[in-house]
Amino acid sequence: MSKVITAKEAEAILSQGGQPPAGSILTPSARDVFSRSDRQGGKSAPAPSKKPAGPIVPDNEFKWAPGSDPKTPADIEKYFRSPAIEALKVKICGIGRRIWEKDYVDGNGGNIVVRVGDNLALCTPTLISKGFMAPEEMCLIDLDGKQLAGERKRTSEAMTHLGIMKRQPKAKACVHAHPPHATAFAVAGVRPPTCMIPEAEVFLGEIGYAKYQTPGSPENAEEVGKIGVDHQAIIMENHGVIVWGKDVEDAYWKMENTDSYCKTVWIASQLGNGLHTFGADKLKDLIKLRRSLGMPDNRDGLRECELCDNADFRPGVVCQTPSKDAAEEKADPAVEAAVRQIADQILKQLAGK
Ligand SMILES: [Zn+2]
């Protein structure tokens, strides 16, 4: 079993100039200790003695000093094994486990990429179950996908993630998976409708829709990358979903939001009462709120009538109670007698009479 490292143990490890043992799990406060130390050049830093002045909002974004990417193979290797990167590897494995447990991936499906430098990203390897990854299996690549460190070969789908990261600097982490409900929309070629759930409009924005291209190909990176500039969640036609966020947990939440939204809309479409929207006027408030949280939205230029236009949404199956005529037809004794007669004849023939 993996050893769990507490904040106290992390301080002790750092004071001796060490690193967390490979495969160990860090508690959130231990992770903070390592990240703080890494930001201060690897020196053990005492925890701040003063309590924050007021309530805080956690910030898990991986930050680096622009222009500070390691250049030599030795420096790259050292960075790849630095406490902050080791902590991030553990975090990526945790997110992998969560997408696997949620049934968002099967087999070796899905992948995760986190930006860790001007031209550096940490990513999952190819041909691995996301539910059973170890920190030492992660890979370091540049933004062109060239592998710089790590024993396992990087995922081929990293190129799609990098297509977004190169165009949208706010995209610090991407998660790709095949969650069944959203992937069903991708297979049916249906864009999820809008103006139905306020939280989805704020935290996801409009879900983007990328035309099918071969997974891992430059064409897919181009198609998804362009759509990723304005959309944090993208349904990839006949494939799955890719989401981005300011950190890997934030990106993962958008995967949950996307699949849950598609699931709810799908269930609602079966209830036979049509789908109700809250209207363009209210959507404008939500877009404003989304913008105030620093998230992109390109719906400013749209006219009011276009904001909640779900004309393309065509649920395939709608639950219908049988009409009175259909119910009577079913109970027609003449029809039932005819069916019985045919069935009797077939049975006699089968019995050789
Ligand atoms: Zn895929």
Side-chain angles (χ1 to χ4, degrees):
M1 233 181 91
S2 308
K3 178 168 172 34
V4 177
I5 308 280
T6 63
K8 241 187 185 165
E9 288 166 325
E11 294 283 5
I13 291 169
L14 278 174
S15 68
Q16 292 172 11
Q19 293 175 1
S24 58
I25 293 168
L26 304 180
T27 62
S29 46
R31 211 160 49 229
D32 287 346
V33 171
F34 282 118
S35 332
R36 200 165 53 235
S37 147
D38 201 54
R39 282 198 294 274
Q40 303 193 358
K43 291 178 203 81
S44 175
S49 53
K50 269 196 289 176
K51 278 195 172 168
I56 56 153
V57 175
D59 179 7
N60 297 317
E61 187 176 324
F62 189 94
K63 297 192 177 78
W64 66 89
S68 67
D69 281 6
K71 295 283 182 299
T72 66
D75 283 348
I76 289 170
E77 196 62 27
K78 198 173 152 204
Y79 184 58
F80 183 59
R81 299 186 187 286
S82 65
I85 295 288
E86 291 296 343
L88 188 56
K89 290 175 186 172
V90 172
K91 179 78 192 173
I92 292 174
C93 293
I95 295 293
R97 171 64 77 143
R98 284 158 78 181
I99 59 174
W100 181 80
E101 281 178 348
K102 291 283 280 182
D103 257 350
Y104 291 170
V105 287
D106 54 282
N108 63 308
N111 24 73
I112 301 167
V113 178
V114 182
R115 202 163 162 188
V116 293
D118 295 336
N119 191 26
L120 292 172
L122 206 57
C123 75
T124 50
T126 191
L127 292 175
I128 195 166
S129 165
K130 299 302 146 323
F132 301 88
M133 299 188 294
E136 58 270 24
E137 290 171 314
M138 298 301 115
C139 317
L140 187 72
I141 55 175
D142 68 18
L143 296 199
D144 291 320
K146 186 182 162 211
Q147 185 148 356
L148 303 172
E151 284 166 19
R152 294 279 302 249
K153 188 176 188 285
R154 65 134 170 104
T155 166
S156 62
E157 284 188 299
M159 299 311 290
T160 315
H161 303 237
L162 298 173
I164 297 175
M165 288 176 176
K166 278 180 168 183
R167 291 173 174 86
Q168 174 49 278
K170 285 183 179 176
K172 296 286 172 54
C174 293
V175 176
H176 162 55
H178 312 136
H181 304 93
T183 303
F185 277 70
V187 171
V190 174
R191 284 190 76 136
T194 57
C195 299
M196 298 201 173
I197 299 176
E199 283 88 345
E201 299 296 346
V202 173
F203 293 106
L204 278 179
E206 187 185 22
I207 298 172
Y209 190 90
K211 283 280 171 201
Y212 181 80
Q213 297 288 353
T214 305
S217 68
E219 291 77 16
N220 197 45
E222 170 91 9
E223 168 75 7
V224 174
K226 281 197 269 184
I227 293 169
V229 174
D230 291 321
H231 300 275
Q232 285 194 271
I234 301 160
I235 287 184
M236 294 192 281
E237 194 171 65
N238 289 96
H239 182 177
V241 177
I242 188 163
V243 288
W244 65 259
K246 63 185 179 60
D247 59 71
V248 68
E249 173 102 20
D250 183 42
Y252 167 73
W253 286 349
K254 291 182 191 339
M255 185 63 77
E256 280 192 1
N257 294 155
T258 304
D259 200 56
S260 170
Y261 185 71
C262 290
K263 185 179 179 182
T264 303
V265 167
W266 167 60
I267 295 171
S269 74
Q270 310 297 300
L271 297 177
N273 199 37
L275 294 175
H276 184 252
T277 72
F278 46 68
D281 214 33
K282 296 274 187 269
L283 178 62
K284 281 182 180 170
D285 293 342
L286 300 172
I287 293 176
K288 237 183 257 167
L289 188 56
R290 177 172 168 78
R291 283 260 170 93
S292 73
L293 294 170
M295 295 187 272
D297 206 294
N298 67 342
R299 290 181 283 185
D300 257 3
L302 290 179
R303 285 174 296 157
E304 195 153 301
C305 63
E306 292 170 318
L307 282 174
C308 295
D309 180 7
N310 292 322
D312 288 342
F313 182 68
R314 299 265 184 277
V317 186
V318 173
C319 165
Q320 282 173 338
T321 43
S323 67
K324 203 171 162 241
D325 287 351
E328 276 168 5
E329 202 175 305
K330 210 175 167 191
D332 187 336
V335 173
E336 278 186 9
V339 169
R340 230 185 353 257
Q341 200 181 353
I342 293 166
D344 285 351
Q345 277 172 8
I346 293 170
L347 285 173
K348 273 181 195 165
Q349 278 172 14
L350 286 173
K353 286 180 186 167

